[in-house]
Amino acid sequence: MRRLLRGTFILWVVLRYGLDGMLLDSLQKPWLRLLSRMLSIGRNLDAPRGQRLREALERLGPIFVKFGQVLSTRRDLLPADVADELAKLQDRVPPFDPVVAVATIERAFRKPLAELFTEFERTPVASASIAQVHFAKLMDRDGREREVAVKVLRPGMLPVIEKDLSLMRLMAGWVESLTTDGKRLKPREVVAEFDKYLHDELDLVREAASAAQLRRNMDGLNLVLIPEMFWDYCQSEVIVMERMKGIPISHNERLREAGLDLKKLAQNGVTIFFTQVFRDGFFHADMHPGNIFVSTDPATFGRYVLLDFGIVGTLTEFDKEYLAQNFTAFFRRDYKRVAELHIESGWVPPHTRVDELEAAVRAVCEPYFDRPLREISLGMVLMRLFQTSRRFNVEIQPQLVLLQKTLLNIEGLGRELDPDLDLWSTAKPFLEKWMAEQIGPRKLFQELRNQAPRYAKLLPELPYLFYDFLRRRPGRESREMAELLREQRRTNRLLQGIIYTVIGFALGMLAMQVLIRVQWL
């Protein structure tokens, strides 16, 4: 019954905000359009479709809001106006009862709150669809009192998520089977991706582990602060981390009043991002203004403070090479190379004609060169490439779409701080360094060092494997190889004789020198 009521409410919202039109436009079923209009007499559809979709998701609740946020990262699948509107979705969720938060903490650690914290602020400082945050103080292992932030999972999330996901799968099946664009939009795959992402977010230990990895990677860069995790106080429902202080990155006037150089701040933000991408291949993928602060503490003045590590992206060496070569070829206007990279990556069918793909890429990229470099958006270049690639049946990798979304966030953030930010001048050294490291002696030695344990295990086995191979191969080839082995043994005996002679000669000369010195003395 609850599922039926929920489904009815979702249908009402779909009709109320005119979302049925988005689906029915691609259907050749006039009677369905007529039926939907009869069921929704009096609705106002003056607002743009993207705005109506955003407002509908907000009306449906936090799980659908979260789905819209994830969907906004798939700009390769959505029209630009819809993706831009979905990017505005925020978790405007009222906090849940602090009594419930305290009960969750005590259940997770099996101790009263007073034994865990010396102070605990019951009023939450932040609340989102998945969790909310309380400030507190505790005694660490060294007996020092530390200020911490306690993130508590919203109770009863799993049953709600499962019900809504079930309905989303049902609706995705309808969209895929009924609309002409259904297969291209891959609604079932998008829902499956959201399912995985949402279940990952329900395990807060995963978020804590991602934060710890980023903290290790960024250690020594001196541009960014990432909270320390208190592992004695981390469970799947509750994590405790170092409390971070600073000015929100979006508060430009406060940043100026604090004496911060906004241009340098913009450049540092881009440096942090490209370091994570091209050096580490592990990046914070939710870098919107709400998750970024700037430290004003004298010891760490001007450093970025990153929060909320529920979404992180990873890149393989292959992904990094694809990106570096694409960007480099783009700025050289080498569109043929961009097309070849798409084919070499295996994301374009092998029968694709290079000249046709090259022409499509040229049409996307060439207009950018009428603008100053500082006005070129690398995120938009990636997005246009992905959209063009769709015509050639390219399967865009999710990690690259996530990167493109984050890159757009970084560009927007950087140009809010510095409208003249030249992103290419900051990215170029990272790309050139990465490309240089992929060729030459340094790369060779690095690969040899990485593979040394494997070789060390394999080398002692080679003689036996070689002998076994010869023993199992009958006939002429085996006799020839046996003769070669006999010749090798004779050569080895000769070399051993020479080595023994040289060693004996060296020892004799050493003994003679000793005798001469003794007689001299």
Side-chain angles (χ1 to χ4, degrees):
M1 178 59 72
R2 289 183 180 179
R3 183 175 176 180
L4 178 61
L5 290 174
R6 179 65 169 163
T8 303
F9 176 70
I10 291 173
L11 179 61
W12 178 82
V13 171
V14 166
L15 295 173
R16 168 67 180 79
Y17 287 91
L19 305 187
D20 54 304
M22 297 182 189
L23 300 176
L24 298 177
D25 284 347
S26 56
L27 284 175
Q28 304 301 320
K29 306 288 186 183
W31 65 271
L32 280 177
R33 291 195 189 92
L34 179 61
L35 178 63
S36 69
R37 287 171 183 170
M38 290 175 61
L39 292 173
S40 53
I41 294 174
R43 64 181 177 177
N44 185 355
L45 302 183
D46 292 340
R49 61 178 181 176
Q51 180 182 334
R52 286 187 279 116
L53 177 59
R54 173 178 60 79
E55 291 174 352
L57 293 175
E58 289 174 339
R59 183 70 179 269
L60 288 171
I63 303 303
F64 280 82
V65 167
K66 185 66 70 175
F67 178 68
Q69 291 172 340
V70 173
L71 194 61
S72 72
T73 69
R74 299 304 307 268
R75 286 178 173 265
D76 57 316
L77 302 178
L78 297 174
D81 62 318
V82 173
D84 289 341
E85 196 66 38
L86 291 183
K88 299 176 183 178
L89 285 169
Q90 301 293 328
D91 285 328
R92 302 184 185 92
V93 183
F96 57 89
D97 193 337
V99 173
V100 176
V102 170
T104 302
I105 295 169
E106 292 181 337
R107 183 178 65 253
F109 299 113
R110 298 178 182 176
K111 290 182 179 179
L113 193 70
E115 291 185 20
L116 296 167
F117 305 104
T118 56
E119 292 183 23
F120 184 86
E121 296 182 13
R122 292 180 177 266
T123 302
V125 67
S127 178
S129 59
I130 298 296
Q132 69 185 31
V133 178
H134 297 257
F135 287 150
K137 292 181 181 180
L138 57 74
M139 302 299 293
D140 67 11
R141 290 184 174 185
D142 298 325
R144 296 176 300 168
E145 188 174 62
R146 301 284 298 274
E147 291 185 297
V148 296
V150 184
K151 189 168 186 176
V152 186
L153 194 68
R154 189 174 286 271
M157 289 298 297
L158 190 58
V160 175
I161 286 173
E162 293 296 347
K163 289 175 185 175
D164 280 351
L165 282 173
S166 177
L167 290 170
M168 285 180 186
R169 293 188 197 100
L170 183 65
M171 290 187 290
W174 290 345
V175 171
E176 190 167 309
S177 60
L178 294 176
T179 66
T180 55
D181 284 338
K183 291 182 179 179
R184 180 182 65 79
L185 294 174
K186 302 177 183 177
R188 292 184 183 180
E189 291 184 23
V190 172
V191 172
E193 185 179 324
F194 175 59
D195 186 347
K196 179 182 178 300
Y197 158 72
L198 203 54
H199 279 85
D200 285 349
E201 264 206 312
L202 290 178
D203 183 2
L204 296 183
V205 173
R206 183 184 291 268
E207 177 181 341
S210 297
Q213 180 67 54
L214 282 170
R215 182 180 169 90
R216 280 195 302 274
N217 291 349
M218 295 291 98
D219 186 33
L221 190 62
N222 296 326
L223 294 177
V224 61
L225 299 172
I226 293 170
E228 174 190 356
M229 293 291 153
F230 292 82
W231 289 108
D232 291 340
Y233 300 88
C234 288
Q235 299 287 339
S236 60
E237 292 182 286
V238 183
I239 56 174
V240 177
M241 68 195 81
E242 175 186 6
R243 178 178 174 178
M244 310 301 287
K245 299 178 181 179
I247 299 174
I249 192 70
S250 56
H251 295 189
N252 287 8
E253 288 303 318
R254 288 182 59 191
L255 294 172
R256 287 193 188 92
E257 291 170 3
L260 288 155
D261 183 341
L262 298 194
K263 288 192 174 184
K264 188 172 186 301
L265 206 57
Q267 187 173 5
N268 287 349
V270 177
T271 299
I272 291 166
F273 176 68
F274 280 110
T275 300
Q276 292 178 1
V277 170
F278 287 105
R279 189 191 71 181
D280 305 324
F282 189 85
F283 60 95
H284 190 303
D286 199 17
M287 294 182 71
H288 63 75
N291 289 337
I292 304 175
F293 291 73
V294 181
S295 174
T296 54
D297 185 277
T300 56
F301 187 78
R303 294 192 194 180
Y304 275 72
V305 177
L306 301 187
L307 301 172
D308 196 348
F309 308 93
I311 309 176
V312 295
T314 57
L315 297 175
T316 64
E317 291 299 315
F318 180 84
D319 294 331
K320 291 193 285 187
E321 181 177 0
Y322 169 84
L323 288 168
Q325 292 198 37
N326 258 299
F327 284 146
T328 303
F330 164 72
F331 280 100
R332 291 175 181 168
R333 301 195 191 192
D334 187 354
Y335 306 122
K336 183 178 180 181
R337 182 57 187 150
V338 175
E340 289 173 344
L341 284 166
H342 278 68
I343 296 173
E344 290 171 9
S345 69
W347 299 335
V348 179
H351 60 267
T352 303
R353 289 182 52 176
V354 175
D355 58 332
E356 290 182 357
L357 185 54
E358 177 188 357
V361 170
R362 181 182 293 109
V364 169
C365 297
E366 193 63 29
Y368 283 97
F369 287 98
D370 291 333
R371 315 175 191 176
L373 279 176
R374 66 176 179 273
E375 294 181 12
I376 296 177
S377 165
L378 294 185
M380 289 299 295
V381 170
L382 267 185
M383 186 182 76
R384 300 295 187 202
L385 284 175
F386 292 165
Q387 290 175 336
T388 300
S389 300
R390 187 189 306 152
R391 290 172 41 204
F392 295 87
N393 299 315
V394 176
E395 292 291 334
I396 299 301
Q397 305 301 298
Q399 69 274 19
L400 296 183
V401 179
L402 191 60
L403 173 78
Q404 172 256 320
K405 169 254 187 186
T406 310
L407 186 54
L408 284 171
N409 284 345
I410 290 295
E411 285 183 318
L413 181 66
R415 285 175 176 155
E416 281 291 319
L417 296 169
D418 177 15
D420 295 325
L421 176 67
D422 181 352
L423 194 71
W424 172 240
S425 66
T426 308
K428 188 177 179 182
F430 287 91
L431 301 178
E432 291 176 341
K433 181 181 178 182
W434 190 90
M435 294 293 287
E437 287 175 349
Q438 301 311 300
I439 57 175
R442 178 185 294 182
K443 181 65 175 179
L444 174 62
F445 291 139
Q446 180 183 350
E447 287 298 315
L448 288 174
R449 184 181 62 189
N450 292 340
Q451 297 295 332
R454 184 181 176 190
Y455 294 149
K457 181 179 180 182
L458 183 62
L459 285 173
E461 299 178 6
L462 283 178
Y464 172 77
L465 294 173
F466 191 46
Y467 169 76
D468 188 60
F469 170 76
L470 293 175
R471 186 170 60 82
R472 293 174 183 272
R473 288 181 61 86
R476 180 170 168 275
E477 292 182 5
S478 181
R479 289 194 299 273
E480 290 177 355
M481 294 301 296
E483 181 61 31
L484 285 173
L485 279 175
R486 284 195 292 273
E487 185 64 33
Q488 185 183 28
R489 292 192 193 100
R490 287 194 293 270
T491 304
N492 287 343
R493 285 196 294 271
L494 177 61
L495 289 173
Q496 288 173 357
I498 294 172
I499 291 170
Y500 292 152
T501 301
V502 171
I503 291 174
F505 179 76
L507 290 174
M509 292 297 294
L510 180 62
M512 187 180 296
Q513 290 291 329
V514 171
L515 288 172
I516 291 173
R517 288 179 180 276
V518 170
Q519 289 178 356
W520 180 262
L521 293 172

